[in-house]
Amino acid sequence: MDSNHAAEASADLEFIVQGAKAGQKLELRLWLRLLSTTKLISQEVRRRLRAEFNTTLPKFDLLAQLFREPEGLRLGELSKRTMVTNGNVTGLVDRLVADGLIVRGTLGGDRRVTVAKLTKRGSAVFADMAEAHEGWLREMMGDVDVATRKTLLGHLGAVKTSVGNHVSEAGQD
Amino acid sequence: MDSNHAAEASADLEFIVQGAKAGQKLELRLWLRLLSTTKLISQEVRRRLRAEFNTTLPKFDLLAQLFREPEGLRLGELSKRTMVTNGNVTGLVDRLVADGLIVRGTLGGDRRVTVAKLTKRGSAVFADMAEAHEGWLREMMGDVDVATRKTLLGHLGAVKTSVGNHVSEAGQD
């Protein structure tokens, strides 16, 4: 149900420009296709995380950040590095602590700074998820040849750089 | 502030695979770049919709769907075609009615079916927004040459098709 819904909604966005002549509105078509492709993959990743690991994308994202930081991260920093808001990060950390995947600890010798760290089990669980996640992406993109994927990576990099150059200054516009 | 946050968070996701050798984890890198590029553009579009039209992306999305359907759309259909949940679509429609941009009416001659339609003013306001929106995208992607943008559109289409072929059946997995 969700899957069909996503496909429909995603497909539908592109109808907006269907009346456009070829070559016209190229940037709009590109943006809508970026958006619909991202949504399609994201929804499938969420579905598989739920089905195979009984977890969510924000939890996966949070564990991924901690996996890279054996010393642990402060909650504010965790929020900044993920798409989890400051308001939600505490609850998410609490649930992951209850699951035995992370602990709260101190940073280095400094007892004043509280951080979240992966437990040994959390680290093993995340490694499993990350491997599966990589496999899903390989499978999902499996019909596209390697040369195309490489070219795409480069071209997306060019768009990302261009967009970065044209993003409004913070607080201005 | 928002802008920097988005850029940091987006950039950061790609660090996950920085340890990978060239050619390894290509699909993962591609996915993270898709995600970060989409987030960067989406955040800039939201910011400009807010700054220049004092509106939001869900409102813009909803108006775009109604713009294509002069007969109007039922609320359930509107929710399906946008990323707005059924629970939120009523409130959003109410606010757009209060703004004078849409009205509730009946579909064709059938008085039992209530739909939302753009008003004349709503149609004009949306046309302005859509033109600006297109211009923003042109500007944001302006450093990328047209040939690259065209190739990218095709390659993204290939990825989208591949992903569509590997998406779980509804209700399974």
Side-chain angles (χ1 to χ4, degrees):
Chain A
M1 207 56 163
D2 249 6
S3 155
N4 290 336
H5 180 174
E8 269 173 45
S10 297
D12 207 77
L13 283 164
E14 294 204 24
F15 284 146
I16 300 173
V17 290
Q18 271 196 349
K21 289 187 204 113
Q24 273 193 329
K25 303 199 176 190
L26 178 58
E27 301 81 8
L28 185 56
R29 295 176 68 199
L30 199 45
W31 167 229
L32 294 176
R33 189 158 296 173
L34 261 173
L35 203 57
S36 59
T37 307
T38 301
K39 278 185 180 156
L40 199 61
I41 299 176
S42 175
Q43 237 153 336
E44 182 65 11
V45 166
R46 283 173 196 271
R47 192 176 306 121
R48 294 192 189 201
L49 281 173
R50 172 69 66 200
E52 297 186 25
F53 295 100
N54 192 29
T55 196
T56 63
L57 197 52
K59 278 187 183 175
F60 177 72
D61 196 10
L62 199 146
L63 293 174
Q65 296 302 330
L66 293 179
F67 191 76
R68 295 174 39 219
E69 300 280 356
E71 296 290 301
L73 283 171
R74 297 188 206 207
L75 267 51
E77 186 60 26
L78 254 181
S79 165
K80 238 170 100 177
R81 294 199 190 184
T82 57
M83 287 296 151
V84 180
T85 60
N86 259 316
N88 289 333
V89 80
T90 310
L92 212 52
V93 163
D94 286 345
R95 287 198 292 281
L96 289 166
V97 168
D99 293 342
L101 302 183
I102 67 177
V103 283
R104 289 171 192 267
T106 52
L107 186 64
D110 193 341
R111 290 179 156 272
R112 292 161 306 179
V113 182
T114 308
V115 295
K117 299 182 204 198
L118 284 189
T119 60
K120 209 162 181 171
R121 190 169 150 249
S123 192
V125 165
F126 176 75
D128 280 352
M129 287 182 193
E131 203 187 320
H133 178 254
E134 243 187 275
W136 302 335
L137 292 167
R138 244 193 322 273
E139 182 202 332
M140 284 190 245
M141 299 183 186
D143 302 350
V144 182
D145 62 84
V146 175
T148 300
R149 279 183 256 157
K150 281 187 183 166
T151 307
L152 185 51
L153 186 69
H155 287 176
L156 277 176
V159 169
K160 195 175 162 183
T161 303
S162 177
V163 174
N165 290 340
H166 295 276
V167 156
S168 318
E169 283 301 311
Q172 291 186 11
D173 242 44
Chain B
M1 208 56 163
D2 251 7
S3 155
N4 290 338
H5 180 175
E8 269 174 43
S10 297
D12 207 76
L13 283 165
E14 294 204 26
F15 285 145
I16 299 173
V17 290
Q18 271 196 349
K21 290 188 204 115
Q24 273 192 330
K25 303 200 177 189
L26 178 59
E27 301 83 6
L28 185 57
R29 295 176 67 199
L30 200 44
W31 167 230
L32 295 176
R33 190 161 295 173
L34 262 172
L35 202 57
S36 59
T37 307
T38 301
K39 278 185 180 156
L40 199 61
I41 298 176
S42 174
Q43 235 152 336
E44 182 66 11
V45 166
R46 284 173 196 272
R47 192 176 306 121
R48 293 192 189 199
L49 281 173
R50 172 70 65 200
E52 296 186 25
F53 295 98
N54 192 29
T55 195
T56 64
L57 196 53
K59 279 186 183 175
F60 178 72
D61 196 9
L62 199 145
L63 293 173
Q65 296 302 330
L66 293 178
F67 192 76
R68 296 174 38 219
E69 301 279 355
E71 297 289 301
L73 283 172
R74 296 187 205 208
L75 267 51
E77 186 60 27
L78 253 181
S79 165
K80 238 171 99 177
R81 294 199 191 184
T82 56
M83 286 296 148
V84 180
T85 61
N86 258 315
N88 289 335
V89 80
T90 311
L92 211 53
V93 164
D94 287 345
R95 286 198 293 281
L96 290 166
V97 168
D99 293 342
L101 301 183
I102 68 178
V103 283
R104 289 171 192 267
T106 52
L107 185 64
D110 192 343
R111 290 182 156 270
R112 292 161 306 178
V113 182
T114 308
V115 295
K117 299 181 204 198
L118 283 189
T119 61
K120 209 162 180 170
R121 190 170 149 248
S123 192
V125 165
F126 175 75
D128 280 351
M129 285 181 194
E131 203 187 320
H133 178 254
E134 244 188 274
W136 302 335
L137 292 168
R138 244 193 323 273
E139 182 203 333
M140 284 190 246
M141 299 183 186
D143 302 349
V144 182
D145 61 85
V146 175
T148 300
R149 279 183 256 158
K150 282 186 181 166
T151 307
L152 185 52
L153 187 68
H155 286 176
L156 277 176
V159 169
K160 195 176 162 183
T161 302
S162 176
V163 174
N165 290 339
H166 295 277
V167 156
S168 317
E169 283 301 310
Q172 291 188 10
D173 245 50

